Amino acid sequence: MRQLKRLLRPLKDPRASNVRHDLVEIIVIALAATLAGAKTCTEFEFFGKGREELLQRFLELRSGIPSHDTFSNVFRALDPKGLEAILRKLSKGFGIKGVVSIDGKALRGAFMRGRQSTPLHMVNVWAAGTRMALAQRKAPNRNEVAGVLEVLASLDLDGALVTADALHCRPDVAQAIRDRKGHYVLAIKSNRGRLFKAAKALLDTARRPARASQR
């Protein structure tokens, strides 16, 4: 808990100085609630009130459990990149090993007024072993590849195996993964021409049984 508090302290509090609830305590309660399956600010409050006595063992809670409105207002005002950077440092303690999946999704209904044909496009990074979301980025100008390159630059992938679909079977993505000390498995489609043929030939060669040496 001390380490978590130390990581969170540099996070800038966007609220006025006369607030009732400590920012670190708000985030700690929200994190604990999320690990327990909570997904909304109302559920954060419900979790906190149901476990207030337990939480008081390591949190002061001088003004009790924050309301769902407080949770909502705080997370709306927080710098998302600053919070993400801190949570990423925290996630290193879990040991990011095994498969890390990268995927891009267009969010249905998430678009600017008058631009229904261009919904918000997000890049998500998921650690399968720890079942943790490592990062999420808005793809700049709906360019998923650019979003993936941006998010890869912020991750420590030492020993991880990164998977992605055929869109990301590119030298720059592969190099970005290797630069972060990761390994990769990238899909290849037949429309990639020479690259697909070369990969297929390599696999076909690997499948052939070695000839017995002739004496």
Side-chain angles (χ1 to χ4, degrees):
M1 181 53 63
R2 290 181 180 177
Q3 181 182 2
L4 177 57
K5 289 182 177 180
R6 187 171 63 252
L7 286 173
L8 291 172
R9 282 300 175 194
L11 191 62
K12 184 178 179 181
D13 193 336
R15 302 171 297 167
S17 58
N18 60 341
V19 294
R20 295 178 56 205
H21 300 282
D22 181 73
L23 177 63
V24 171
E25 293 189 350
I26 291 173
I27 296 175
V28 168
I29 295 171
L31 285 174
T34 300
L35 291 173
K39 296 181 179 179
T40 67
C41 293
T42 300
E43 291 174 344
F44 293 167
E45 179 186 2
F46 182 80
F47 172 89
K49 288 184 175 179
R51 296 162 179 80
E52 186 170 359
E53 185 176 341
L54 173 63
L55 292 169
Q56 285 176 334
R57 295 181 184 179
F58 50 87
L59 301 177
E60 292 186 23
L61 299 177
R62 287 176 292 182
S63 299
I65 299 298
S67 69
H68 63 278
D69 286 329
T70 299
F71 281 110
S72 178
N73 292 336
V74 167
F75 284 111
R76 287 173 185 269
L78 275 178
D79 172 27
K81 289 188 176 180
L83 179 59
E84 182 185 13
I86 290 173
L87 294 179
R88 192 179 302 119
K89 290 180 181 179
L90 177 64
S91 69
K92 289 182 179 180
F94 291 91
I96 302 173
K97 302 294 182 182
V99 176
V100 172
S101 301
I102 295 178
D103 190 26
K105 294 290 184 184
L107 303 185
R108 180 185 298 179
F111 51 79
M112 296 178 64
R113 187 181 298 275
R115 300 183 64 184
Q116 290 89 336
S117 61
T118 55
L120 184 65
H121 205 90
M122 302 296 294
V123 173
N124 303 293
V125 184
W126 174 258
T130 54
R131 299 186 61 80
M132 290 178 59
L134 301 180
Q136 186 177 69
R137 282 283 192 283
K138 176 184 175 183
N141 298 317
R142 303 187 73 245
N143 185 330
E144 186 177 322
V145 172
V148 166
L149 290 173
E150 180 181 318
V151 78
L152 283 174
S154 66
L155 296 175
D156 180 4
L157 299 171
D158 189 8
L161 178 64
V162 179
T163 66
D165 60 28
L167 176 64
H168 304 294
C169 186
R170 303 162 45 100
D172 51 357
V173 172
Q175 187 60 54
I177 295 170
R178 295 299 297 138
D179 289 344
R180 307 307 296 175
K181 301 181 180 180
H183 307 281
Y184 56 83
V185 174
L186 305 175
I188 305 177
K189 288 186 176 180
S190 58
N191 60 3
R192 294 300 299 274
R194 289 187 298 175
L195 177 62
F196 179 82
K197 290 180 180 179
K200 186 176 184 301
L202 185 62
L203 291 173
D204 289 343
T205 301
R207 292 193 188 103
R208 293 172 189 164
R211 291 184 178 180
S213 57
Q214 296 180 354
R215 295 182 179 178

